[in-house]
Amino acid sequence: NKACFTEKLDALIAATTDRALAAELDRTRSFLAALIGLQWENSLYQQVEPQLRFANTLDALKSFIKAVSLRQPLILHLEDSHWLDSESTLFLEKLTHHVDGYPFLLLFTTRPPTAMATKQKSEQHAPELRSSVQTTIHLTHLPRPDLQTLAMYWLEGNVTAAVVDLLLERAAGNPFFAEQIPRYLQEYDLL
């Protein structure tokens, strides 16, 4: 595993045209390795204090993402970002600071707070990163005509009003459920 890790990281370092970034990747090599359970004696990771390990791990991850994005544009998708912990939010703040010229995008999906969740956690949304440009797109429930179109697509033909009524009731406008219900009905010959 260490040999494979070394080979892949060396290839990334060699392909990184930003020499300072390449040097940082090499310097933080042992921190990246530790993230996947690889450690070796006398590595920088083992030599530093735990607090410095954390800071260097964040630096290593940021350098890695920047280097990968220079090879080809990168999209990082964070599902259910309303559950991010404070350390993850801290990393995202660091990641989005001073990264002009690095083609990567952070895509957060989050669910609106419910009454119960709001009582449990006061911040039920994607993190607001001060150092980045953000656009918020609010997705609403699919209306009846769109549910019908979706059902027709998945069932490859016309659908009855009863099927659309069932989707309205069971999927509650959620596109994922509206896709899965017709597939389930078809798979079990319930149509």
Side-chain angles (χ1 to χ4, degrees):
N1 287 340
K2 184 180 176 190
C4 185
F5 169 80
T6 299
E7 179 185 330
K8 298 283 185 188
L9 188 58
D10 285 346
L12 180 60
I13 291 169
T16 302
T17 56
D18 179 336
R19 296 321 310 156
L21 179 58
E24 180 65 4
L25 273 173
D26 193 39
R27 182 191 77 79
T28 59
R29 171 185 304 268
S30 61
F31 297 94
L32 289 172
L35 287 171
I36 58 172
L38 297 175
Q39 293 186 28
W40 51 89
E41 285 191 41
N42 299 320
S43 68
L44 183 56
Y45 177 84
Q46 287 192 337
Q47 293 174 27
V48 299
E49 299 294 319
Q51 188 174 359
L52 290 175
R53 280 183 186 169
F54 180 71
N56 277 279
T57 298
L58 297 185
D59 290 339
L61 282 171
K62 180 176 180 174
S63 296
F64 178 77
I65 290 168
K66 287 168 58 177
V68 170
S69 76
L70 289 176
R71 292 181 81 182
Q72 86 179 40
L74 180 65
I75 298 174
L76 300 170
H77 177 211
L78 286 82
E79 179 71 28
D80 291 333
S81 62
H82 51 279
W83 295 117
L84 284 174
D85 59 20
S86 59
E87 289 84 4
S88 298
T89 302
L90 177 68
F91 169 66
L92 294 171
E93 276 288 338
K94 183 177 195 66
L95 175 62
T96 57
H97 193 67
H98 297 300
V99 289
D100 292 342
Y102 294 96
F104 68 88
L105 169 85
L106 296 176
L107 176 64
F108 298 99
T109 54
T110 185
R111 288 168 179 55
T114 63
M116 179 64 82
T118 304
K119 290 178 185 176
Q120 295 173 356
K121 187 175 180 185
S122 61
E123 295 183 27
Q124 290 282 323
H125 53 77
E128 293 191 24
L129 306 174
R130 291 170 286 165
S131 57
S132 64
V133 176
Q134 289 185 308
T135 301
T136 301
I137 302 170
H138 294 280
L139 302 179
T140 59
H141 297 285
L142 289 177
R144 182 182 184 87
D146 293 341
L147 287 172
Q148 181 174 3
T149 301
L150 191 62
M152 289 171 58
Y153 173 79
W154 284 110
L155 298 174
E156 298 176 347
N158 289 327
V159 295
T160 65
V163 170
V164 179
D165 290 341
L166 177 71
L167 288 178
L168 268 172
E169 178 187 331
R170 298 284 173 95
N174 181 311
F176 176 74
F177 296 140
E179 172 187 327
Q180 295 301 311
I181 291 170
R183 295 170 89 185
Y184 171 84
L185 295 172
Q186 188 174 44
E187 184 177 332
Y188 289 95
D189 293 324
L190 298 173
L191 292 173

